[in-house]
Amino acid sequence: MGQAAGIWLQTARLRLRPLTLADEAGVIAGLNDPEIASWLATTPFPYPAAHFRSYVATAPEGETFAIHDAQGFAGLIGGGAELGFWVARHAQGRGYAGEAAVGLLHAVYDFYPGPVSSGYFVGNAPSARVLQKLGFSETGRKPRFCRALGLEMDHIDLVLSRESFLALHPPPARPSA
């Protein structure tokens, strides 16, 4: 989704903007929460500030967005060929992951024909619900290493076609000129 670099996305309650160094405190706090880190495959734990700064410097443009609600930083979401997300503990249970994902996937599918992949570790019921509501379908299960826990865990792989997504989440009506 490189063409979307610099784009801010707005949903009913959220603003998604490209990840910047200004998000460091929120990201560090969230990824140093073991209840969040233990569900992410590649995130180190504890999560060092140097890792965040390196990621921001090298991340593909237009693929990783900070999620902000009225109170500020609420999580991260990344999209392109693969969708990934996490919501800070103080913002969980409000439907933010699904709302942010719908907004981002509309932008992704404007530039990328799909399909988009995603997945979750067995036992991560909140992520499973979000991905199901988005229209993802299971393609398989296999062990995947969880870096934060240092062990292999059962992982469910998913895929979402543009057509399946748009059937469930039609694009918002655009104002006529």
Side-chain angles (χ1 to χ4, degrees):
M1 204 177 105
Q3 298 95 325
I7 289 179
W8 290 41
L9 304 171
Q10 186 73 44
T11 69
R13 302 176 296 164
L14 305 172
R15 186 177 70 248
L16 281 62
R17 64 164 177 69
L19 184 67
T20 69
L21 292 173
D23 299 307
E24 182 174 343
V27 171
I28 297 295
L31 293 179
N32 278 312
D33 181 336
E35 291 296 318
I36 292 172
S38 64
W39 295 118
L40 304 173
T42 61
T43 302
F45 184 82
Y47 189 81
H51 194 278
F52 171 78
R53 292 181 198 124
S54 174
Y55 179 79
V56 170
T58 61
E61 285 191 281
E63 288 189 9
T64 304
F65 292 82
I67 303 169
H68 286 260
D69 65 6
Q71 287 72 50
F73 183 86
L76 284 184
I77 189 164
E82 183 174 5
L83 177 72
F85 54 86
W86 61 267
V87 175
R89 195 184 304 224
H90 73 272
Q92 291 178 358
R94 299 179 190 172
Y96 285 177
E99 184 176 328
V102 168
L104 181 58
L105 285 168
H106 276 292
V108 166
Y109 285 130
D110 279 348
F111 297 103
Y112 175 70
V116 171
S117 64
S118 194
Y120 60 93
F121 287 118
V122 171
N124 188 346
S127 288
R129 282 191 299 276
V130 168
L131 295 165
Q132 180 183 28
K133 288 178 184 177
L134 292 168
F136 278 87
S137 300
E138 185 175 332
T139 59
R141 294 172 182 235
K142 65 179 182 267
R144 185 165 180 188
F145 187 74
C146 175
R147 185 173 176 187
L149 296 176
L151 55 91
E152 294 270 325
M153 296 172 54
D154 291 331
H155 189 267
I156 298 175
D157 297 322
L158 306 167
V159 68
L160 177 65
S161 71
R162 182 179 191 277
E163 296 74 23
S164 294
F165 173 73
L166 293 175
L168 289 172
H169 308 279
R174 297 183 188 217
S176 56

